[in-house]
Structure formats: structure tokens, C-alpha cells
DNA sequence: TCTTCGAATGGGAGCGCTCCCAACTTTCGA
DNA sequence: TCGAAAGTTGGGAGCGCTCCCATTCGAAGA
């Protein structure tokens, strides 16, 4: 009605315009738009018609301002370009999160943090209350980013945990069981000099996979030897290097369990260079079941972790946490399973 | 000053609170926060101190509402889960975009569109003016998503183009040159029965790569034979299938240029199954230089396209377009180069 | 027919920020 | 010494929505 808005020409239709056209008040339109109860069928119809006619779409900034909700969640990936691109794990997580979120009104903000600058920027961002919750994957033990997020008090769900007493909600895959079954498989094949290449030990997943390796060995009465344990950082190069070391240290090694497919691929390369046949001389098992595992020569036996489902579960948990902020934190463990191909 | 805000306890500090503490007006604080000129050094200092003391962070929703800017851009990926996870190309694009954007105040919204529902949701979203601009990759010729985006009139930059007369701004890699040099390399190796496995022909990149193949052949005086051209859809399976077909149709084939690494990996598998040695019997070249290319057996010769740089360039172009909406559209072509490994 | 109570409704009062203009200072040249 | 010009500053008026309360309208019960 105000001559002001009439004079502004091309502005998009507002709630007020819809109300005017439908011949009702703003409150009623708002109720209809938000699906609130207490609107007569007649009014509802009139409003819906007006909305359709005007092509009205609510202005989110205005809504956010009024409700102090952001209608968005952030997915934080504190990793380098290399890992992001080389590990399909992240893409799967993203996909899972996105698909779960697509059922809701929430937007997905992607935040990659690799430099110190980006970390500082993140701090300001989170304080600006631009998101209702945070998802974060690939958390290292003393990750300053994780601590930053935790300190904001925003609803948060991690993919993986920082330690056994992780205070935040998280979704994890059964790393222990996965590693255990991989090594059991190797032992079942009659291998007795079973080595392992671990991931970075400041990540809980790495430690737990190592623990699974240990337990499988112990259970079978095979001694755990320090010489059979080498360390990597999940990258292919580190796997290659670690395998080369193992070969020097323990020439009799006849199997190796790697904490990631990428490292397993590196290990396979090192083995090939050393003239060892896979799996005849040395059996290899990876972890992740990334697409890569099917391309190696021979195709890799590996532990599948349901990464897309992890993303979905993370999103679901976050939604719950946003809905009921008081509730205590929860965790979800997703099971893994061994995919037997030809490398072991 | 208002007793209201005093009574509200834990609300985050507002512009007004900063103004009160600094002993200046709202306008002055706003100017300082936004780096506008016309603030005396004294006032500026006082405001900065107050900001630091209060830990003030501007509320973005309020700013958006007042300025009708969203301070965010969307990256739309209209692809299936499979491609997203299996092609590191997307991850690199994301990384490039994110890193370029981290220099600015803009947020990155990631939108994956695979289902019809998601597409409809996207429409409402874009109309809601929740972003200042749109980035979109993997555009197919008659992509309804692209048309949707185009119809919104939002500043838009594509990764790849839909056709030669693409009206929107875009960043592309030199598909023609890349394919050309790959095939020239094969010919230089003395191969004469050079096949190609194309990508989906509703994508311009696929057509152009095929055109590069043709030209290289023609220039060298080698006839282009329909029988040597097989079609895939960028997936590994399609590459395997296409290679199998080729082997049946043209048993004498001695080289194959594949429009993606993934298809090349599939082709290699088919060759292996057929008992052909790579590259002795059949040389293979891929396209992308994805991490995968280094893992195949033998390591794959492929055309590198600078995907992260593509993401960066897209973001830069979009920033320009947002800053100067009137300007005519632009395009950037990034060069590709051949990475020679062992498969050719 | 009159009262009572719940359902439906309109619209004021913000949410926190930017924009812009009027007003106030300072600084200079005449 | 005075006025103009330039530099600063404060704060009103929104941006479009939600929240909430006062009001209105009906229908059911007495």
C-alpha cells in the first residue's frame, strides 16, 4: 500500500505484497508460508494463489535476521588439496551430506581450511553465526580447527573422532573391526609375516586400525613385532616409502595391511619394483575401498567403509542436534566389510 | 544504552553496542567496519578498540538484508554420486574455487543436483537471491539446470561450455589442443591404427576432443575411420566396453586415445583381458591426468588439464562479473599438456 | 437469545545493518 | 574577520521477515 514500494519498480514481491493481493494480513501469509497451524482453509487458499501469481519466494536474509537462524550448515574439510583430490572419501562424504540436506531447507556451506589465514577467517565466520551447525571431517588429535569449532558451542558433528573420549557427537566407521578382519583374512591365507603400514598416528582412525592389526595377530597367537610396523601419512608416496623400508627391514614379509588404499597402491608399486609378486609373494590389503582399489594391478582387496552413508549419518545427527541443542552428544558407528579381490 | 539489550543477557554485541562503547554513532562504526573513507583517525581507533574489546562480528543476515547482497556464491555440480567421487576433477575444481574465494568475504555454497527434486529445489533457491553469483561445472548441451541458471540472470560462470556460441562466461581447457597433441604423440610413435573412445557427445568437451583426434589424423594424412571411433560416457565401465567393441571391430588397432583417464583405465583392463600388451601391442592415452593415471599398470600417458586452476579462474571471472554486472561475458581457455608415462 | 471460549486474524515491534542526508567542525583563501 | 568548501559525524528510515498480543468472529452451550 505504501507509495514507496509502489514506486520501486522491479523489486521482488515481498510478504506484504502477497498479503495485499490475498487480502489478508502479513501474519497470515507468514503462517501459510511456514506451514503453521491456525489458518482457515479459505485464507490459506487465497494466500497460496497470491504466492503463485506473484512468484513469491521468501527472502532468507530477512528470515534469518528475524529468527536468528542461519538455515545453513558448514562442512569443514581441513585438508590439503592433494588429499581432497586424491581421496574419493571426501567426495563421498560431501555427497552424503548434500543428499541428506536436500531433504531440508538447509544450505551446505563448504569450507576448506588449509592455511593459517583460512583458519583465522573461519574463526570470524563461525562467530558471525552464519551457520546453525558444523560438520567436520578428517580431524587430527590436537586439531586447532576442531578446538576452534568446539569453542563456538555450535552444534557439531565430526566424521571420525579425536580420541576415545571425544566429547562431540561423531560418526565413525568400525575401524577396529575392519582392520581386524583384514588381518584375519591375511592370516587365514596362511601368511605369518604380516606387516602393516599405518596412517598418521595423530589421527584416531590410524591408531585404531593399528590396534585391530595387533589384536588379530595376538588372537591368532602370532607375535606383534615392531619391525613389521611402518608408518605413513595416508598418501601414496608414504605407502611406497614405508613398503620399501619394510622390505629392507623384514625381507621375509609375506603380507601387508595398509591403513588406506592410497598407501596400499604405493606399497604395491614398491613391491613391484622390488620384484615381488602380488599376492604370491606378498599379499596386500588396503582400507577404504575407493574407486582406485579396482584399478590397481592386481585389483585390491580392501576394507570397505560406507563413506557416503557416513556423510548422511553426520547430517542426520547434526539435524537432531540443531533441533534439540540440550541433548547429550551421540555417536554412530558404521560397520565396515572386507572386499576380497585379487591382491590378497 | 537501551535497557532492552542490557536485559537480554547473552546476545552477541551489535553495531550499536560498539558505537556506544566507542562513544560514536552507528554510522561511524559501520564506516570503520567496511573500510569506508571519511573517518578521523581518532574515531577509527576508538571504534577498533571497542570492536576488539567486545569481540564484535557483524551479523551477516542483517547486512544482507540491508544491502541485498548475499555475500555468497553457489557452485553447482549436476552430476551423480559416482562421477563426483570417482573423478578428482571435481574435487580440484572445488579446491580452486574455494582457495580463490578465501581471499574474499564470499561464502561458497555447494549444490549437488542429481534428482529432479533437487533441481526444483534449486529453482526456488536461486530465485530467493541467496547468492550473488553461480558457478557451474560439467554442463551438458541442453542441460535444464544450466538453462535454469541462465534464466535467473544471476552472474554466472561455467566450467566448460555448452557449445561454441556459449552466451555465458566460461573457463575451458584447451580440449582441442590437448586431444590433438595426444594423437600426434601416438602417430609419432609410429602407430597408424589409432582409435578413440569419446565421452558423451552431448558435452562439448567430448566433441572437441574428438575433433582434435580427427585433425591430428588428417594432418598426418591418416584417414579417419568410423570403425576406429567408439563412444563412452566418461565412466570406467564404458571405457572397458568401448575398448572391447573396438577390439572386435578393428583387431589391428595399435593405439587408443581416450577422452578421460577413467575410460582409459577401463580400456586398459579390456586390453589386458584380451591379452594385448600395453604399450607394445596397443598404446593408450587418457585425458585429465587424474591421480589415477599414475596408478595404472603401466602408468598412463595422459593430457593434463589444470583443473584447480580452472576453479580459480572461474571464481575470478565470477568476481569480476559480480563487480561489473553490465560487462559483456568473457571466456578463458587454459592450456593443456601431454604427460608422457609408460602407456604410450 | 445471551454468554463463553477457542479459533483465526491483523499488525506493531523489533532483528542488526547500511544508506543517506542534515548538521556540525575545521580549514583556508580572500 | 568572514564565508565557502571540505571533512566528519549522528541518526532516521528502511531492508523483509517473524513473533506475539490484542482483537474479531463463530459456534456451541445455557
Amino acid at each position: 500500500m505504501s507509495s514507496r514500494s509502489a514506486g520501486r519498480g522491479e523489486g521482488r514481491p515481498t510478504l506484504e505484497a502477497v498479503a495485499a493481493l490475498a487480502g489478508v494480513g502479513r501474519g497470515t501469509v507468514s503462517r501459510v508460508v511456514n506451514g503453521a497451524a491456525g489458518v482457515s482453509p479459505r485464507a490459506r487458499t487465497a494466500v497460496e494463489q497470491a504466492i503463485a501469481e506473484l512468484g513469491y519466494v521468501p527472502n532468507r536474509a530477512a528470515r534469518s535476521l528475524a529468527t536468528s537462524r542461519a538455515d545453513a550448515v558448514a562442512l569443514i574439510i581441513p585438508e590439503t588439496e592433494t588429499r581432497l583430490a586424491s581421496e574419493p572419501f571426501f567426495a563421498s562424504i560431501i555427497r552424503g551430506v548434500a543428499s541428506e540436506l536436500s531433504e531440508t531447507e538447509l544450505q551446505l556451506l563448504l569450507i576448506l581450511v588449509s592455511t593459517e589465514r583460512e583458519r583465522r577467517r573461519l574463526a570470524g565466520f563461525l562467530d558471525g553465526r552464519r551457520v546453525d551447525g558444523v560438520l567436520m571431517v578428517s580431524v587430527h588429535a590436537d586439531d586447532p580447527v576442531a578446538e576452534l569449532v568446539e569453542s563456538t558451542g555450535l552444534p557439531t558433528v565430526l566424521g571420525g573422532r579425536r580420541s576415545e573420549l571425544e566429547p562431540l557427537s561423531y560418526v565413525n566407521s568400525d575401524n577396529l573391526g575392519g582392520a581386524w578382519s583384514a588381518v584375519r583374512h591375511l592370516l587365514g591365507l596362511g601368511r605369518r609375516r604380516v606387516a602393516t603400514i599405518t596412517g598418521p598416528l595423530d589421527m584416531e582412525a590410524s591408531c585404531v586400525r593399528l590396534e585391530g592389526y595387533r589384536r588379530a595377530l595376538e588372537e591368532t597367537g602370532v607375535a606383534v613385532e615392531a619391525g613389521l610396523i611402518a608408518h605413513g601419512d595416508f598418501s601414496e608416496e608414504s605407502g611406497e616409502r614405508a613398503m620399501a623400508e619394510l622390505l629392507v627391514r623384514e625381507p621375509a614379509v609375506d603380507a601387508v595391511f595398509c591403513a588406506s588404499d592410497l598407501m596400499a597402491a604405493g606399497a604395491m608399486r614398491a613391491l613391484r619394483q622390488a620384484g615381488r609378486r602380488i599376492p604370491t609373494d606378498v599379499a596386500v590389503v588396503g582400507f577404504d575401498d575407493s574407486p582406485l582399489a579396482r584399478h590397481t594391478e592386481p585389483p585390491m582387496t580392501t576394507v570397505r567403509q560406507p563413506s557416503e552413508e557416513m556423510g548422511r549419518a553426520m547430517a542426520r545427527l547434526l539435524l537432531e542436534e540443531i533441533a534439540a541443542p540440550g541433548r547429550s552428544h551421540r555417536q554412530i558407528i558404521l560397520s565396515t566389510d572386507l572386499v576380497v579381490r585379487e591382491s590378497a
Side-chain angles (χ1 to χ4, degrees), chain A:
Chain A
M1 212 63 9
S2 79
S3 61
R4 189 179 358 93
S5 73
R8 294 183 69 251
E10 271 326 284
R12 308 191 74 74
T14 67
L15 231 211
E16 187 122 27
V18 174
L21 180 59
V24 300
R26 286 196 333 278
T28 301
V29 178
S30 178
R31 269 167 231 131
V32 171
V33 169
N34 294 292
V39 179
S40 68
R42 213 210 347 221
R44 162 161 283 121
T45 311
V47 170
E48 281 165 351
Q49 230 160 61
I51 287 178
E53 186 166 329
L54 258 29
Y56 169 73
V57 177
N59 177 318
R60 299 304 276 260
R63 179 180 288 177
S64 279
L65 183 57
T67 59
S68 68
R69 274 175 308 159
D71 284 327
V73 303
L75 171 56
I76 301 178
I77 305 184
E79 283 296 340
T80 62
E81 192 270 327
T82 321
R83 275 202 79 199
L84 212 214
S86 58
E87 302 212 25
F89 173 74
F90 293 112
S92 297
I93 293 277
I94 291 175
R95 177 72 208 169
V97 169
S99 79
E100 193 69 31
L101 250 32
S102 77
E103 312 280 318
T104 72
E105 283 285 270
L106 295 180
Q107 284 308 312
L108 175 59
L109 277 163
L110 188 65
I111 305 185
L112 266 35
V113 186
S114 49
T115 67
E116 181 55 39
R117 267 193 58 253
E118 289 172 341
R119 188 180 310 154
R120 271 197 299 275
R121 186 165 174 266
L122 175 64
F125 169 77
L126 293 175
D127 282 337
R129 289 288 187 252
R130 314 257 302 270
V131 291
D132 299 316
V134 176
L135 296 168
M136 182 169 168
V137 292
S138 188
V139 276
H140 294 251
D142 296 311
D143 202 323
V145 179
E147 278 161 24
L148 184 67
V149 170
E150 193 176 355
S151 74
T152 64
L154 280 158
T156 303
V157 175
L158 303 179
R161 58 186 188 182
R162 287 171 292 176
S163 75
E164 282 180 65
L165 1 82
E166 178 61 65
L168 297 172
S169 289
Y170 63 85
V171 174
N172 209 355
S173 54
D174 179 13
N175 290 306
L176 190 69
W180 180 86
S181 64
V183 177
R184 290 284 291 195
H185 174 72
L186 256 11
L187 292 164
L189 258 27
R191 311 286 167 145
R192 280 303 173 269
R193 304 296 300 165
V194 181
T196 187
I197 299 178
T198 73
L201 294 183
D202 67 338
M203 288 184 70
E204 214 255 353
S206 302
C207 298
V208 172
R209 289 174 197 176
L210 175 57
E211 180 59 21
Y213 162 85
R214 283 209 173 95
R215 290 209 197 164
L217 251 39
E218 282 165 2
E219 271 178 32
T220 319
V222 177
V224 175
E225 296 176 31
L228 284 168
I229 300 175
H231 303 290
D233 60 9
F234 282 146
S235 76
E236 189 191 353
E237 291 68 32
S238 75
E240 187 169 357
R241 206 177 317 122
M243 190 69 238
E245 284 169 26
L246 283 170
L247 248 16
V248 171
R249 209 153 63 205
E250 300 284 339
V253 60
D254 60 7
V256 60
F257 163 61
C258 305
S260 82
D261 283 355
L262 224 45
M263 293 198 298
M268 285 168 81
R269 169 175 304 182
L271 287 168
R272 207 174 300 123
Q273 262 169 1
R276 310 288 177 112
R277 288 163 302 170
I278 303 168
T280 322
D281 299 327
V282 181
V284 177
V285 178
F287 204 110
D288 280 346
D289 193 23
S290 66
L292 171 123
R294 288 172 304 146
H295 304 143
T296 53
E297 194 36 46
M300 189 190 297
T301 293
T302 183
V303 177
R304 197 182 82 82
Q305 58 174 336
S307 33
E308 183 169 350
E309 178 53 31
M310 268 185 84
R312 293 193 121 84
M314 286 173 68
R316 271 196 300 269
L317 224 48
L318 186 60
L319 292 176
E320 288 176 21
E321 205 134 318
I322 290 172
R327 213 83 65 77
S328 64
H329 296 158
R330 290 179 47 192
Q331 46 270 139
I332 292 180
I333 313 292
L334 297 173
S335 61
T336 52
D337 37 35
L338 189 68
V339 180
V340 179
R341 296 206 180 85
E342 298 164 35
S343 72

